Amino acid sequence: MATNLPLHVTPPDDGLPPHHRPPVRRQTRRLHVGPVPVGGGAPVSVQSMTTTPTYDVNATLQQIASLNAAGVDLVRVACPRQRDADALAEIAQKSTVPVIVDIHFQWKYAMAAIEAGVAGIRINPGNIHKNGDHSKVKVIGDAAKEAGVPIRIGVNGGSLEQRLLDKHGGVTPEAMVESALDEARLLEDVGFGDIKISVKHSDPWVMVQTYRLLSQACDYPLHLGVTEAGPAVTGSIKSAVGIGALLAEGIGDTIRVSLSADPVEEVKAGVGILEALHLRERGLDVVSCPSCARAEVDVYTLAEEVQQGLEGVDVPLRVAVMGCIVNGPGEAREADLGVAAGKGKGQIIRRGEVLFTVPEDEIVDALVRYAREVADEIRAERGEGAPTVVA
Ligand code: SF4
């Protein structure tokens, strides 16, 4: 354990002005989930969890592939039954992303997961006991150490021990942190240190305070998440607030947005949070005005069609779609490519230079065509040859 954590300082020679640099990260220990480094200044990784029955290997692998395409770094699968445990070896072997197995209570499934060759497990050692005997924790710790498999301790506000609830008067940040450190100690006592910790709560503000406290109390990498955040829109908002606030303070090494929705949406939201904080390089960024009574074109449709037309762009490219000439030209000039619309027409602006004016029904085609050109220029500037956009 360590307090007064040092900060991981962003190198000053990154060529970026200070206000474009990502948040200064708190220094944590480094561990590896398969080939993915977590903590110690490694890029913040995005996680999600499959919703298919784990024993259905094909369905699970297909969903993992979809999550991979959306930008996930690590995928978690649940293992509630023996037949799920039986499927782990094939999933671990064929998955395109390192697999973490989520286990509750059953120490045998933890052992099965490690033997199956998975990249990580999530288990709460406090759950692994019989009549208070924690001897199986050592068995798991030894096997995980031998296999180089890290363990995440996942404390959840909804399942705190009664002892801690009584001591702290409910689900408080202090109670959750004490629970997490107690769990970590069980592993430390058997000589295991490749630990990451989460202390999730469904209230983003409670969650923020809990992780702040935890980050002062230990130097383990932290896995951030707002648990049971809700459906896509409200869940993404709560997660962006909770996870985003912490990342902006430099706290957090890996994240999961939990939504009652397709897990691909979780990944998109997670990637979006990292991009918003400059913690992951942006891909396509369509900036569009909210539209108002001054708008002289259909901004919503234009923005949607431009977004679709540029699907697949894999370089940082900002395209502005602005509804009128009040703020339009200024915002469009800040972008790589933009349109400042007027009545039934649009002025196309490329990296600050006004190119030409087109009728409204040609705006999308013009933007997409020139945005592709700019994307190729960006690739060339970066020394990457192949075209960025698949038509
Ligand atoms: S750019 Fe023009 S249309 Fe869009 S919100 Fe601003 S004032 Fe309204």
Side-chain angles (χ1 to χ4, degrees):
M1 300 292 171
T3 52
N4 299 322
L5 299 169
L7 295 173
H8 177 80
V9 179
T10 307
D13 59 350
D14 56 11
L16 293 171
H19 60 286
H20 280 302
R21 289 202 183 118
V24 175
R25 310 267 307 281
R26 279 181 185 269
Q27 186 64 279
T28 52
R29 301 185 197 188
R30 167 74 58 90
L31 53 77
H32 285 84
V33 184
V36 177
V38 175
V44 178
S45 47
V46 173
Q47 302 197 22
S48 184
M49 193 163 180
T50 54
T51 53
T52 52
T54 301
Y55 64 78
D56 187 341
V57 173
N58 284 340
T60 302
L61 288 172
Q62 276 174 21
Q63 194 172 55
I64 290 174
S66 307
L67 298 172
N68 191 15
V72 85
D73 299 297
L74 299 167
V75 170
R76 189 153 46 107
V77 303
C79 183
R81 296 157 293 231
Q82 183 59 47
R83 57 180 173 163
D84 299 313
D86 294 341
L88 294 176
E90 190 176 354
I91 292 171
Q93 192 201 350
K94 294 182 177 170
S95 171
T96 47
V97 178
V99 173
I100 299 168
V101 182
D102 193 288
I103 297 146
H104 282 283
F105 308 114
Q106 301 274 6
W107 74 277
K108 284 186 177 168
Y109 294 164
M111 296 302 290
I114 294 166
E115 281 162 22
V118 303
I121 59 174
R122 180 264 168 141
I123 195 163
N124 287 354
N127 289 337
I128 309 293
H129 68 90
K130 199 168 186 182
N131 301 325
D133 169 19
H134 291 283
S135 57
K136 291 293 188 278
V137 173
K138 177 158 175 54
V139 177
I140 295 170
D142 286 349
K145 195 173 187 177
E146 171 84 19
V149 169
I151 296 178
R152 172 160 70 89
I153 291 164
V155 169
N156 194 310
S159 54
L160 274 188
E161 290 169 66
Q162 192 59 46
R163 171 183 69 83
L164 291 172
L165 295 175
D166 293 343
K167 177 177 172 185
H168 294 279
V171 183
T172 63
E174 290 77 10
M176 292 180 66
V177 169
E178 183 171 339
S179 173
L181 297 179
D182 285 351
E183 297 276 3
R185 205 165 297 115
L186 283 169
L187 286 172
E188 291 162 358
D189 287 348
V190 298
F192 189 85
D194 263 1
I195 297 169
K196 51 192 162 74
I197 303 181
S198 63
V199 279
K200 298 185 183 181
H201 195 283
S202 56
D203 181 320
W205 178 227
V206 176
M207 169 264 194
V208 165
Q209 296 174 77
T210 307
Y211 276 101
R212 280 179 179 162
L213 204 56
L214 183 60
S215 78
Q216 291 299 317
C218 72
D219 63 356
Y220 291 123
L222 301 185
H223 167 95
L224 305 184
V226 177
T227 192
E228 294 122 23
V233 174
T234 49
S236 298
I237 293 169
K238 288 184 199 171
S239 298
V241 169
I243 295 172
L246 288 162
L247 288 174
E249 294 176 14
I251 297 170
D253 302 283
T254 179
I255 66 171
R256 180 200 174 190
V257 173
S258 302
L259 300 176
S260 307
D262 184 332
V264 166
E265 298 305 317
E266 298 187 347
V267 178
K268 287 183 183 170
V271 170
I273 292 169
L274 296 188
E275 287 181 346
L277 285 165
H278 297 209
L279 285 163
R280 183 173 287 206
E281 187 178 69
R282 277 186 183 278
L284 175 64
D285 184 18
V286 175
V287 183
S288 58
C289 79
S291 190
C292 71
R294 290 196 196 94
E296 296 185 299
V297 294
D298 179 353
V299 176
Y300 300 161
T301 306
L302 274 183
E304 196 62 43
E305 289 178 359
V306 168
Q307 180 88 40
Q308 283 171 11
L310 292 172
E311 190 87 24
V313 167
D314 59 355
V315 291
L317 180 76
R318 177 178 280 235
V319 180
V321 179
M322 306 300 291
C324 79
I325 54 164
V326 174
N327 294 324
E331 189 68 50
R333 262 197 299 273
E334 290 293 305
D336 294 301
L337 203 79
V339 61
K343 194 167 181 53
K345 59 189 179 189
Q347 200 176 47
I348 306 295
I349 302 169
R350 174 172 160 164
R351 290 184 162 175
E353 182 193 343
V354 177
L355 295 181
F356 48 76
T357 300
V358 290
E360 184 174 353
D361 61 0
E362 292 177 23
I363 289 175
V364 173
D365 278 354
L367 270 183
V368 168
R369 183 154 38 95
Y370 281 92
R372 287 179 179 180
E373 275 190 26
V374 175
D376 285 343
E377 283 175 20
I378 293 171
R379 283 183 71 87
E381 285 164 10
R382 293 152 59 112
E384 301 166 21
T388 47
V389 183
V390 188

